Amino acid sequence: MNRKGLRLDQAPPLHLPLRFFLTAPLFGVGAGLLLAWKGAELLLTPWSFPTLALVHLITLGFLTMVMMGALYQITPVLVGTPVPGTGLVWLVHLGLVCGLAALTLWLLTGAPFLNWLAVAGLLPAFLIFLGQMALALRRAPTWNATVFSIALAVTALALAISLGLVFLGEFAALWQLPARRPLATAHVYLALGGWVGTLITGVGYAVIPMFYLSGKFPAHLTWLVMAFQLLLPISGSLVAFLAPSPVWHLIPLLIAASATGVFTFAVVRALRGRKRRIIDSTLRYWQTGIACAPLSLASLAVFTFHPEFRWLMAFGVLFLLGFAMSILSGMLYKIVAFLVWLHRFSKMAGKMDVPLLRDIIPHRPTALQWWTHLLMLGLLVVAALTGHDGLARAGGLALVVSCGALFLILLRAARFNRPTTSTESTGITATNSSGAATAEPQPPSQGSTEA
Amino acid sequence: MTETTLDLREVPENERSERLTAAFEALPSGGLLFFTTAEDPRRVLRQLITNLWGRFDWAPLKEGDSQWLSQIVKRERPGPTGLEDMLIVEHRRCDDLFAEAEAAAQEGDQERTELLFGRLEMGMERHFTIEEEGFFQEVDQRMGLMGGGPVAVMRDEHQQMRGMLRRMAGALAESNLEDFLAASDTMIYLMEQHNMKEEEMLYPMAEEVLGAEMDELLQRLYLF
Ligand code: HEM
Ligand SMILES: [Fe+2]
Ligand SMILES: [Fe+2]
């Protein structure tokens, strides 16, 4: 163990993770608008360009955006070493936002310069981010399960991104790929199984015991799930390259099912045995996500035997929106409220009028937001299975509403900087001068306006 | 609540440790025993450390003019084997008290909330003291940190937690359980992220640094 490497004081400035957390719901709104505009056409085949645009607005724009912000925040705490070069983070964020916007527009319009713009944004953004993570992990004072899962997730992301950029190169006619389909399959296994799956389970092990006092997850279960998660992208890619018959895809599917099964079992047991009996929106979101994970795999299993695209689209909705977006939304509420509190109010913790987490993010709006999320899920699962155009558009609108509400709740939290006496605590921007008297080390407006 | 309590207040000094040891031996593994003393229980604790070290966990629950309440648990595994073992046991005990106090407040049971919260406050304060005046100092000296580094952050967070405990106590004093719960919901994140940093990083590192003279140090810390 490298003792001198241990630093517990390296939490980054508040505006750094917040800019990712506040942008993510906006891309969710974008995805909803696209769906409301184009309708069921987007749900008919996974290979069309507009569908790819929709998929990446969600995977890159929402999921990866949140997970990157979260990694900047939690790596110093969980790994015990600072992330270097935080001065470059604004560039990562800008590159991701512009690159993804260009990618989306290119997929929708096909204007060639947009393809280049996408690469010009995404490539440096991910190079910097991955470099920072690699350096932080290399300096890790100790390698426990959490550090391992972060490393696994980031490696999978690096490979998925590389393949994504290689695809863009082919679209720009820079080269001709000999094996496009297997590479695309590998891209999906790496991105969804390796990156999204591993990071979300890793977050679960870290926060469920913390939030609900449920006791630690048994180490053998976490290592078991991680072993499956390591095998999943490897086996998935191998099968894609070597095995022409779809039956072989049952192997990665079984591995994914095992990982999901063990993880679901562990989470359900932990939540059942939790000592804190509170029910909040984050708990609701965990339950939603945990329910959707096995359903998504069931739908993928059906697709393996009945290769009709609707089963694949239902998988996409259940996994991306039902599992990943649910859990990340629930996490956002907790993380954002706590970070705002920690940066602005922890120094005055003993005072009776110090704002509490529930002042920063009140329960009721988040509960309503959760309902809109459920409505969206219901509409889109049915739309994916039936191809019903009206339902697809309605689901798109529901996505706009739920992500829009998420954004507004988080924005209010990011701008919250003063104890309020009334329950109506809007108009906080007008109080910057008094906010400066609190413990916030930077100008209070910084966190919100840049994001 | 069914809490059997051994009352040592009237027992002459030279018989106390005997009575306590006998009651302890009668406990099943993992069993819990409460006892009251008329003055600081650390006197009888000293004798317990001499006789039973490695087999029990002790914690103070209430101090008072002439009535001090403590608990001892018969350990299922021998220990504390090290700092990690000793301090993590305390974290979990405080977690449990925290959850129980919160549950009592949710049920609107002011009296029981006060009882449990009092124990929580006491346990947390003792734990902070053990860390700040014993363990952190030790780590500080061995590693030449001069009061800086990871240990300084931990001290800072202790101050914040003390603040939140005062905040909870204030709400409880006004019989405002609603507000008590809102404060506890903030406190839990502060406390758990702090404990996580200690358990995952600081304690393992300290075990390595402090190495050999562990038992002696632990016995000293125990009396804090
Ligand atoms: C620089 C970043 C990325 C680029 C340029 C990119 C590009 C692409 C391209 C071109 C495809 C279509 C492959 C084909 O069918 O030939 C694709 C598919 C896909 N990508 Fe990415 N990708 C990137 C990152 C990601 C990430 C981070 C995720 C998930 C977190 C992801 C999830 C997916 C999924 C689920 C598909 C399959 C979608 C479908 O077939 O409709 N991608 N990606
Ligand atoms: Fe501590
Ligand atoms: Fe501690």
Side-chain angles (χ1 to χ4, degrees):
Chain A
M1 181 185 281
N2 167 13
R3 293 166 199 159
K4 294 281 180 199
L6 177 62
R7 303 278 297 273
L8 297 175
D9 53 340
Q10 288 302 307
L14 181 59
H15 64 82
L16 195 151
L18 278 191
R19 69 177 77 208
F20 289 89
F21 295 161
L22 282 166
T23 329
L26 293 179
F27 277 108
V29 170
L33 287 174
L34 183 60
L35 195 53
W37 172 35
K38 296 261 182 187
E41 169 198 334
L42 296 188
L43 302 178
L44 294 182
T45 153
W47 317 128
S48 82
F49 275 13
T51 303
L52 280 181
L54 177 68
V55 166
H56 288 85
L57 281 173
I58 293 163
T59 55
L60 273 176
F62 191 102
L63 306 180
T64 302
M65 184 75 77
V66 173
M67 296 196 299
M68 282 168 67
L71 277 178
Y72 279 125
Q73 177 62 40
I74 61 178
T75 302
V77 180
L78 293 182
V79 181
T81 177
V83 176
T86 45
L88 291 173
V89 171
W90 67 273
L91 198 61
V92 174
H93 179 255
L94 190 70
L96 184 56
V97 170
C98 296
L100 180 54
L103 178 67
T104 308
L105 289 178
W106 179 74
L107 287 167
L108 294 175
T109 67
F113 76 98
L114 286 169
N115 191 339
W116 290 109
L117 208 58
V119 176
L122 294 172
L123 184 62
F126 282 109
L127 277 182
I128 299 173
F129 171 73
L130 293 168
Q132 288 171 318
M133 293 307 298
L135 281 176
L137 287 169
R138 247 189 44 172
R139 294 182 198 152
T142 171
W143 276 74
N144 53 29
T146 316
V147 181
F148 210 87
S149 69
I150 292 179
L152 182 59
V154 169
T155 311
L157 175 68
L159 295 172
I161 295 294
S162 313
L163 285 177
L165 293 172
V166 167
F167 297 147
L168 288 194
E170 189 190 36
F171 294 148
L174 282 186
W175 47 66
Q176 185 82 46
L177 291 176
R180 167 80 173 290
R181 196 80 345 266
L183 283 175
T185 308
H187 173 74
V188 174
Y189 272 115
L190 286 163
L192 301 193
W195 165 239
V196 178
T198 309
L199 204 65
I200 287 187
T201 47
V203 168
Y205 304 139
V207 304
I208 290 182
M210 256 169 94
F211 290 180
Y212 301 106
L213 299 181
S214 63
K216 266 196 177 173
F217 285 87
H220 60 274
L221 288 189
T222 59
W223 283 108
L224 185 65
V225 174
M226 221 181 308
F228 288 133
Q229 283 167 337
L230 178 64
L231 283 178
L232 177 59
I234 298 176
S235 66
S237 309
L238 279 181
V239 164
F241 278 102
L242 303 178
S245 143
V247 181
W248 285 87
H249 283 276
L250 283 178
I251 296 172
L253 189 65
L254 277 177
I255 294 176
S258 314
T260 312
V262 178
F263 180 66
T264 307
F265 166 77
V267 171
V268 168
R269 201 176 62 166
L271 288 180
R272 282 246 172 105
R274 72 189 196 275
K275 290 179 199 144
R276 294 189 82 203
R277 285 283 138 198
I278 50 151
I279 292 172
D280 52 18
S281 301
T282 302
L283 182 71
R284 288 286 178 243
Y285 265 126
W286 269 105
Q287 292 167 332
T288 314
I290 281 299
C292 285
L295 289 178
S296 75
L297 281 183
S299 157
L300 199 57
V302 174
F303 175 75
T304 314
F305 295 107
H306 296 275
E308 296 168 16
F309 280 143
R310 57 196 179 120
W311 295 107
L312 200 55
M313 302 321 274
F315 161 78
V317 172
L318 284 165
F319 185 86
L320 297 176
L321 303 174
F323 170 69
M325 188 188 265
S326 295
I327 289 175
L328 291 180
S329 301
M331 297 306 308
L332 278 178
Y333 285 143
K334 287 291 179 236
I335 299 183
V336 169
F338 184 67
L339 287 181
V340 168
W341 188 86
L342 198 65
H343 281 268
R344 302 206 178 124
F345 305 114
S346 59
K347 295 263 177 345
M348 49 190 285
K351 304 216 175 76
M352 275 313 272
D353 62 351
V354 63
L356 300 167
L357 296 193
R358 69 146 187 217
D359 301 313
I360 299 169
I361 294 194
H363 175 69
R364 264 188 68 81
T366 64
L368 285 173
Q369 195 272 339
W370 176 73
W371 279 109
T372 63
H373 180 84
L374 273 195
L375 175 70
M376 175 275 290
L377 278 182
L379 287 169
L380 287 183
V381 169
V382 178
L385 287 176
T386 61
H388 190 289
D389 188 58
L391 284 179
R393 288 175 205 269
L397 286 179
L399 183 58
V400 172
V401 171
S402 74
C403 280
L406 178 63
F407 173 75
L408 290 177
I409 294 170
L410 296 182
L411 180 68
R412 178 187 175 280
R415 301 169 80 169
F416 189 97
N417 59 17
R418 190 186 64 133
T420 48
T421 37
S422 72
T423 42
E424 292 280 46
S425 44
T426 46
I428 292 151
T429 29
T431 61
N432 274 356
S433 55
S434 70
T438 67
E440 169 70 286
Q442 308 117 22
S445 58
Q446 205 167 332
S448 52
T449 47
E450 285 177 17
Chain B
M1 257 184 305
T2 54
E3 291 181 355
T4 44
T5 307
L6 177 66
D7 192 346
L8 295 177
R9 281 175 300 174
E10 309 282 299
V11 178
E13 169 137 24
N14 53 359
E15 286 172 29
R16 277 178 213 159
S17 134
E18 233 169 86
R19 291 278 292 275
L20 195 53
T21 308
F24 176 81
E25 295 296 359
L27 284 178
S29 170
L32 171 68
L33 173 73
F34 296 90
F35 66 92
T36 47
T37 47
E39 77 295 282
D40 194 329
R42 283 168 183 83
R43 284 174 73 163
V44 60
L45 185 64
R46 264 202 193 86
Q47 289 166 309
L48 229 54
I49 288 179
T50 320
N51 300 339
L52 300 173
W53 181 251
R55 298 177 55 200
F56 71 96
D57 288 315
W58 171 81
L61 299 178
K62 202 169 138 209
E63 57 185 21
D65 308 325
S66 54
Q67 186 171 351
W68 301 59
L69 180 67
S70 313
Q71 68 171 39
I72 38 179
V73 175
K74 194 170 193 173
R75 291 187 70 110
E76 284 164 4
R77 290 170 295 111
T81 52
L83 270 176
E84 255 192 285
D85 193 8
M86 167 172 167
L87 296 174
I88 290 178
V89 165
E90 276 295 294
H91 285 178
R92 292 294 89 79
R93 193 180 72 85
C94 289
D95 282 354
D96 288 351
L97 279 172
F98 190 98
E100 284 176 49
E102 210 177 44
Q106 270 173 334
E107 286 159 20
D109 190 338
Q110 166 92 17
E111 204 177 320
R112 189 167 153 74
T113 312
E114 276 172 15
L115 174 88
L116 293 165
F117 180 71
R119 292 179 180 182
L120 175 69
E121 260 183 318
M122 181 123 204
M124 298 280 289
E125 191 46 56
R126 171 166 177 266
H127 183 77
F128 293 157
T129 314
I130 288 181
E131 291 187 336
E132 288 168 2
E133 287 169 26
F135 157 56
F136 290 172
Q137 280 201 352
E138 211 72 29
V139 174
D140 243 10
Q141 281 169 9
R142 303 292 171 95
M143 295 185 57
L145 294 171
M146 319 270 281
V151 165
V153 186
M154 297 292 101
R155 283 183 200 273
D156 245 17
E157 292 185 352
H158 285 181
Q159 281 317 103
Q160 294 170 9
M161 285 192 273
R162 286 190 170 102
M164 281 315 291
L165 285 171
R166 276 201 304 282
R167 175 75 173 69
M168 290 167 75
L172 205 50
E174 289 170 7
S175 302
N176 190 344
L177 292 181
E178 193 55 32
D179 193 49
F180 174 85
L181 284 170
S184 83
D185 188 54
T186 303
M187 169 69 173
I188 191 73
Y189 299 107
L190 197 57
M191 176 167 135
E192 291 304 310
Q193 58 98 35
H194 175 83
N195 289 353
M196 186 177 72
K197 285 189 268 193
E198 288 185 341
E199 291 175 26
E200 300 283 326
M201 302 285 163
L202 197 59
Y203 294 168
M205 182 193 78
E207 293 244 303
E208 226 176 68
V209 179
L210 298 172
E213 318 117 72
M214 192 58 80
D215 254 21
E216 190 193 325
L217 173 67
L218 289 180
Q219 297 190 0
R220 192 159 62 74
L221 294 186
Y222 227 69
L223 290 166
F224 267 80

